[in-house]
Amino acid sequence: MSLRLVFVGPPGAGKGTQAKVICERYKIPQISTGDMLRAGKKAGTLPKELIDTMAAGGLVPDQAVIDLIAKRIDEEDAKNGFLLDGFPRTVPQAEALNKLLADRGSKLDTVLALNVAASLLIERAVLRRTDKRTGQIYHLKYNPPPPDVNPADLEHRADDHEEVVRNRVETYEKMTADLLPFYKKVGLLQELDGVGKVEEVTGRVLGALESIKK
Ligand code: ADP
Ligand code: ADP
């Protein structure tokens, strides 16, 4: 079965954590514009203005991420579907995505929005650590890395500090004020509670995906 979905949620909501489960189950790639931008930064190909925007928790220009997505969805592994994590974030991005898909004779199946109160997000993001060898996401309090993981391999994102997380949450709230109604109007939006144990949230997410009528 093919599945083309957009995963929306504030920073630290658990999108990356849940995306891993969905992608394994549906055999689709997780496409994260944040990961692609960070890879560009590491490779030295990301312009300085974009690095600065990310460091401050703002949004990079629409066209920069639209270009990344346009290329990525044509790769072989995305032919049968994909999970978009962190894209679209604005209505112009959502409109561009509709057009990219329509040009390829396809469309989105659903948009999942993971809701988590702002008060919980700061702690989730600030204590997030990612194993740079495997991409595994940990949380120092809720999902601590096992003792055999070398602490030197655990990455703390440059923008996962309290002040920047606050800015990112604020940016998210402004952006969703337009983006969620855009998807609601066309009947694609499913809002889910992202609070609770990881497995509980996974149950809600998989339930929502199974309910899609194709
Ligand atoms: P996002 O991709 O939405 O920014 P992540 O999946 O990276 O979020 O999760 C942010 C942090 O919160 C990580 O450290 C992760 O281990 C932790 N986390 C994810 N889901 C939960 C949950 N249901 N309860 C507690 N912590 C969680
Ligand atoms: P989050 O944990 O906030 O979900 P991401 O990894 O998705 O973070 O994104 C990190 C940063 O990359 C964002 O704060 C923003 O600067 C930039 N970014 C990622 N995706 C987009 C997008 N679709 N539009 C604009 N900026 C983006």
Side-chain angles (χ1 to χ4, degrees):
M1 185 186 113
S2 73
L3 180 66
R4 291 180 178 81
L5 84 127
V6 166
F7 210 9
V8 193
K15 299 180 297 297
T17 302
Q18 300 299 335
K20 295 258 153 19
V21 182
I22 301 172
C23 290
E24 255 165 50
R25 159 140 345 182
Y26 289 90
K27 310 225 175 337
I28 51 175
Q30 176 190 356
I31 301 181
S32 156
T33 39
D35 284 348
M36 292 163 96
L37 291 166
R38 280 187 290 277
K41 179 182 166 196
K42 234 181 205 164
T45 54
L46 196 68
K48 168 137 185 357
E49 311 90 79
L50 271 60
I51 295 178
D52 292 345
T53 303
M54 288 175 73
L59 293 184
V60 306
D62 288 334
Q63 202 55 50
V65 279
I66 292 167
D67 290 348
L68 287 174
I69 289 292
K71 266 204 202 133
R72 183 65 184 86
I73 61 171
D74 282 338
E75 284 176 33
E76 194 55 39
D77 66 340
K79 289 266 151 70
N80 206 30
F82 45 71
L83 178 153
L84 298 180
D85 168 5
F87 179 94
R89 272 170 145 98
T90 65
V91 170
Q93 290 178 21
E95 284 168 340
L97 176 62
N98 278 349
K99 167 117 189 18
L100 285 171
L101 293 177
D103 288 348
R104 289 157 179 75
S106 72
K107 59 180 179 51
L108 286 178
D109 296 305
T110 191
V111 175
L112 295 187
L114 209 51
N115 290 330
V116 175
S119 56
L120 292 174
L121 295 172
I122 310 289
E123 184 189 50
R124 282 204 188 174
V126 168
L127 296 181
R128 163 167 48 195
R129 297 293 183 275
T130 308
D131 188 325
K132 59 183 172 202
R133 295 163 316 154
T134 61
Q136 175 67 45
I137 303 165
Y138 295 107
H139 189 277
L140 295 183
K141 185 166 159 189
Y142 300 117
N143 180 22
D148 62 331
V149 170
N150 183 347
D153 287 328
L154 291 178
E155 226 161 18
H156 186 197
R157 268 170 55 175
D159 56 356
D160 273 348
H161 292 277
E162 186 161 341
E163 270 320 297
V164 183
V165 178
R166 279 189 204 286
N167 280 346
R168 286 160 60 209
V169 171
E170 211 172 282
T171 304
Y172 176 82
E173 282 167 358
K174 278 190 205 135
M175 124 203 166
T176 43
D178 294 330
L179 189 70
L180 297 189
F182 176 90
Y183 282 128
K184 195 168 191 170
K185 214 165 62 193
V186 291
L188 278 177
L189 182 68
Q190 302 195 70
E191 295 198 72
L192 300 175
D193 181 6
V195 181
K197 288 209 172 70
V198 169
E199 305 74 50
E200 287 167 1
V201 180
T202 302
R204 290 176 209 141
V205 167
L206 294 180
L209 293 180
E210 274 151 28
S211 75
I212 300 172
K213 305 236 177 356
K214 289 235 181 191

